[in-house]
């Protein structure tokens, strides 16, 4: 069976990586799509977010990373994915994901949404929180994988050298 997991990953967090690892154990192949969210302005480029995903998933042989253009159900259809995994941290996520599952099911009834609950240690990890911490030069080491931290530290060092 082929599955998919998509997100903006702006930036990728340890919570995302946990969902990817867990979802990858449930399917033969998992496509992880970097999505362009039309309602959000991204802090990091698509290329950067895809590079982070590829680095973080390097040890997962059944995971393929790609950019998603358009609707997630179209990306699922193209990849042959019958299962769309989503992560849920709290009640607010649950309501949002329920609505998205309904809409995706309406658009393609052959794609089933499966929600995985975030582990308690990651339930407060969000890309929005990480972006805010980065903006104010705070330590984000406990929130992001090593590949993301390395890039952020390099960017911070470059910024300091410019100023």
């Amino acid at each position: 069976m082929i599955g998919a997991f998509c997100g903006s990953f702006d930036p990728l967090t340890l919570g995302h990586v946990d969902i990817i690892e867990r979802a990858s154990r449930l399917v033969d192949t998992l496509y992880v799509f970097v999505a362009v969210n039309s309602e959000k302005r991204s802090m990091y480029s698509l290329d950067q977010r895809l590079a982070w995903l590829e680095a973080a998933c390097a040890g997962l042989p059944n995971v393929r990373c790609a950019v998603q253009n358009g609707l997630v159900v179209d990306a699922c259809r193209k990849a042959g994915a019958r299962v769309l995994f989503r992560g849920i941290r709290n009640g607010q996520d649950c309501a949002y994901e329920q609505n998205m599952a309904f809409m995706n099911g309406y658009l393609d009834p052959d794609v089933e949404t499966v929600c995985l609950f975030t582990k308690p240690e990651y339930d407060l990890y969000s890309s929005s929180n990480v972006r805010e911490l980065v903006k104010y030069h705070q330590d984000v080491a406990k929130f992001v994988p090593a590949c993301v931290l390395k890039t952020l530290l390099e960017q911070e060092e470059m910024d300091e050298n410019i100023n």
Side-chain angles (χ1 to χ4, degrees):
M1 182 183 301
I2 299 172
F5 177 62
C6 68
S8 56
F9 307 116
D10 187 36
L12 181 67
T13 70
L14 291 173
H16 293 131
V17 173
D18 177 63
I19 296 290
I20 293 167
E21 289 172 350
R22 291 167 48 211
S24 75
R25 293 193 298 265
L26 301 174
V27 292
D28 300 313
T29 302
L30 179 68
Y31 283 88
V32 181
F33 293 111
V34 179
V36 178
N37 187 331
S38 59
E39 295 180 10
K40 293 181 183 177
R41 181 180 165 163
S42 299
M43 187 173 206
Y44 302 101
S45 72
L46 272 175
D47 290 340
Q48 178 63 75
R49 291 180 278 153
L50 180 59
W52 283 333
L53 267 177
E54 289 171 340
C57 297
L60 302 170
N62 67 328
V63 173
R64 310 284 178 266
C65 302
V67 172
Q68 169 200 327
N69 292 308
L71 297 172
V72 68
V73 292
D74 292 336
C76 287
R77 193 177 301 119
K78 185 175 177 181
R82 304 289 300 238
V83 178
L84 175 61
F85 291 98
R86 302 297 297 160
I88 295 183
R89 294 172 295 194
N90 53 41
Q92 186 177 358
D93 282 355
C94 191
Y96 175 81
E97 295 302 341
Q98 181 181 20
N99 179 63
M100 293 306 299
F102 169 77
M103 289 306 298
N104 289 331
Y106 171 78
L107 295 169
D108 190 337
D110 292 330
V111 176
E112 190 66 44
T113 299
V114 173
C115 295
L116 299 176
F117 290 97
T118 302
K119 289 182 179 176
E121 59 265 34
Y122 300 124
D123 67 353
L124 298 177
Y125 288 32
S126 74
S127 294
S128 300
N129 288 344
V130 172
R131 285 193 308 272
E132 190 70 8
L133 292 173
V134 167
K135 182 178 172 181
Y136 292 102
H137 309 286
Q138 298 300 306
D139 182 15
V140 295
K142 68 185 264 182
F143 301 106
V144 299
C147 57
V148 174
L149 184 61
K150 181 179 184 286
T151 304
L152 296 178
L153 291 174
E154 288 170 354
Q155 286 176 343
E156 190 173 295
E157 187 176 308
M158 284 177 34
D159 290 347
E160 287 175 4
N161 289 336
I162 291 172
N163 295 328

